[in-house]
Amino acid sequence: MRRIEQTDRRIRSLPKIQHRVVSLPLEARKSGFNVVALIGPDMRYSLFPCMVALTVASWSTTSQGQDVPNLTGMAILKGSCEKLIMKGDDLTEHCSNQIIQSIYNTGRTGFTVTVGDKGTVMTFSGLEGAKPDPDTQLQDLDFIILNLGIEGVAPARTRVRGGCGYSNPYKGPTTISCQATGEKGEAYLLQFRSDGSPPSMTDFRQQAEAEKKQGSDTSFAAGEWAGSAMENDPEGGCLVTKQVDRKTAVMLYANKNEAFSVNIYNKDWNFGPNAEVSGELFLDGKAFSLTGVDVRNEHVLTLKAGAEEESLEGPIRESSKLSFKSGKKRIETKLNESGKAIEKLWACVDRG
């Protein structure tokens, strides 16, 4: 409370200035233009964490404001704060050289500047307004929010009537001008001039989609090996494959039951469901004893190596060359990066 009183005294001690607040034309502000049409999904700017956190906090706990999940974009412009008035007091010398616009999916937007160096921010907030021409945007104002940046102290919200106007920031320097009047006639004004540099942007909707896509993408690679999770596998398995040639591949499979198997694919094979198949496996030229060969399907054979301690996982990791012979067919391939491929195979299983 002491810091709040000190801030109020500091503001009251600043010299008053005489000015006239001019509200934007009512008919222009009611024409229903969507503010995102100017800033647009491809014209939102990136954010500075501290300022952003305070901006979001200003609205995340009020019924008039927007919850954080409704925040779709935040943007930043650099330049100079030409005028900042709060309750008739001139705070221009304390105004920062950057401005953030927050955009919500409910149509609310806000312009926020830092005041001083103690973490205080001031936001001019309202609903989307009219668009008089392709490069001009207007916005209604219904709240001024002062956030002192003090833990446990809620932002102060003042109901106002007024509006903002600004031009396309991608066509050189632009001026963002906001003017409003409080219920007791007190004046609020923000005028910010950009330096002409293009805005940077963060679009949270695109981020969410990218994260969702990334979360659902289980693909991975290691050298010539490529793998992913197996869809609809009740045991949560993943498969990584090395293409030997156009007709042949070596496939390694692992699942949540800690099963590991080596499978050989050949397009020319055409095994029947009851086929009995035998084979010989060589790793780095040395014979590896198999307990059997199972027909997985007409083109795939699964090599069986017995108990867990006799698993093929370790030998495949440590070997540089694999050779498999079944009947007259002999398949040979290098096992470069097999160790990394198996590590990523198990990581895929763990993620699933």
Side-chain angles (χ1 to χ4, degrees):
M1 183 64 69
R2 185 176 300 146
R3 283 191 63 182
I4 297 176
E5 293 173 351
Q6 291 174 348
T7 301
D8 288 343
R9 286 197 297 270
R10 183 185 66 187
I11 293 174
R12 288 196 298 269
S13 67
L14 294 171
K16 295 282 185 71
I17 68 165
Q18 299 296 323
H19 66 280
R20 180 170 60 92
V21 174
V22 181
S23 181
L24 296 171
L26 184 62
E27 63 274 16
R29 289 184 278 125
K30 287 188 175 181
S31 65
F33 179 81
N34 188 329
V35 68
V36 181
L38 176 61
I39 298 299
D42 59 340
M43 296 175 68
R44 306 228 174 91
Y45 334 136
S46 62
L47 44 89
F48 289 159
C50 178
M51 193 171 174
V52 168
L54 292 171
T55 303
V56 173
S58 298
W59 282 101
S60 60
T61 58
T62 174
S63 59
Q64 293 91 354
Q66 311 303 317
D67 293 332
V68 174
N70 293 325
L71 185 65
T72 60
M74 297 193 77
I76 189 166
L77 272 176
K78 296 182 179 180
S80 60
C81 183
E82 297 181 340
K83 187 68 66 176
L84 179 63
I85 307 296
M86 178 180 176
K87 295 183 179 180
D89 296 326
D90 190 344
L91 304 180
T92 304
E93 65 176 301
H94 305 290
C95 184
S96 62
N97 60 359
Q98 60 198 27
I99 188 168
I100 283 182
Q101 183 188 32
S102 54
I103 304 168
Y104 297 84
N105 61 13
T106 56
R108 180 167 293 277
T109 65
F111 289 105
T112 301
V113 292
T114 299
V115 183
D117 58 1
K118 305 297 183 182
T120 299
V121 298
M122 186 174 177
T123 300
F124 289 69
S125 179
L127 298 175
E128 58 193 30
K131 186 174 177 63
D133 60 63
D135 290 321
T136 303
Q137 178 67 57
L138 306 180
Q139 171 187 323
D140 286 341
L141 286 179
D142 56 5
F143 280 94
I144 300 294
I145 310 150
L146 182 66
N147 190 336
L148 297 177
I150 302 175
E151 184 176 357
V153 178
R157 300 171 180 83
T158 303
R159 188 175 290 277
V160 298
R161 294 185 62 184
C164 294
Y166 55 97
S167 59
N168 190 338
Y170 282 87
K171 292 190 173 182
T174 182
T175 298
I176 299 171
S177 180
C178 298
Q179 302 174 340
T181 303
E183 294 179 338
K184 297 181 181 180
E186 64 274 27
Y188 299 87
L189 183 145
L190 169 65
Q191 184 165 308
F192 187 93
R193 179 72 172 174
S194 75
D195 60 9
S197 60
S200 53
M201 64 86 177
T202 294
D203 187 332
F204 296 130
R205 294 174 302 182
Q206 290 181 356
Q207 283 188 349
E209 287 297 321
E211 290 171 1
K212 181 179 179 181
K213 182 178 180 181
Q214 184 178 11
S216 62
D217 184 7
T218 61
S219 61
F220 59 92
E224 296 180 343
W225 298 85
S228 67
M230 297 187 68
E231 294 184 9
N232 304 318
D233 183 354
E235 296 180 337
C238 292
L239 190 74
V240 64
T241 301
K242 182 181 187 294
Q243 199 76 24
V244 178
D245 53 41
R246 290 183 298 174
K247 294 183 178 183
T248 312
V250 175
M251 302 181 295
L252 309 180
Y253 170 83
N255 64 29
K256 289 188 176 298
N257 296 325
E258 298 187 354
F260 179 90
S261 66
V262 177
N263 306 270
I264 308 294
Y265 167 87
N266 186 268
K267 185 178 180 181
D268 291 336
W269 286 337
N270 189 22
F271 300 114
N274 299 317
E276 294 184 1
V277 180
S278 61
E280 298 176 277
L281 176 66
F282 298 87
L283 297 174
D284 289 339
K286 297 179 180 180
F288 187 94
S289 179
L290 297 175
T291 59
V293 178
D294 285 347
V295 176
R296 180 68 58 184
N297 59 48
E298 66 268 31
H299 302 301
V300 177
L301 297 178
T302 298
L303 311 188
K304 299 174 65 176
E308 182 178 350
E309 59 270 17
E310 298 171 332
S311 167
L312 277 166
E313 179 181 348
I316 292 293
R317 281 178 178 268
E318 298 167 1
S319 300
S320 59
K321 184 178 180 181
L322 177 149
S323 176
F324 177 74
K325 184 176 182 296
S326 179
K328 296 181 179 180
K329 184 67 176 178
R330 189 179 191 91
I331 296 168
E332 294 185 350
T333 185
K334 293 182 179 179
L335 294 176
N336 297 343
E337 305 289 345
S338 60
K340 290 184 179 179
I342 292 174
E343 289 178 5
K344 292 189 176 183
L345 177 67
W346 284 114
C348 172
V349 172
D350 293 339
R351 288 197 302 270

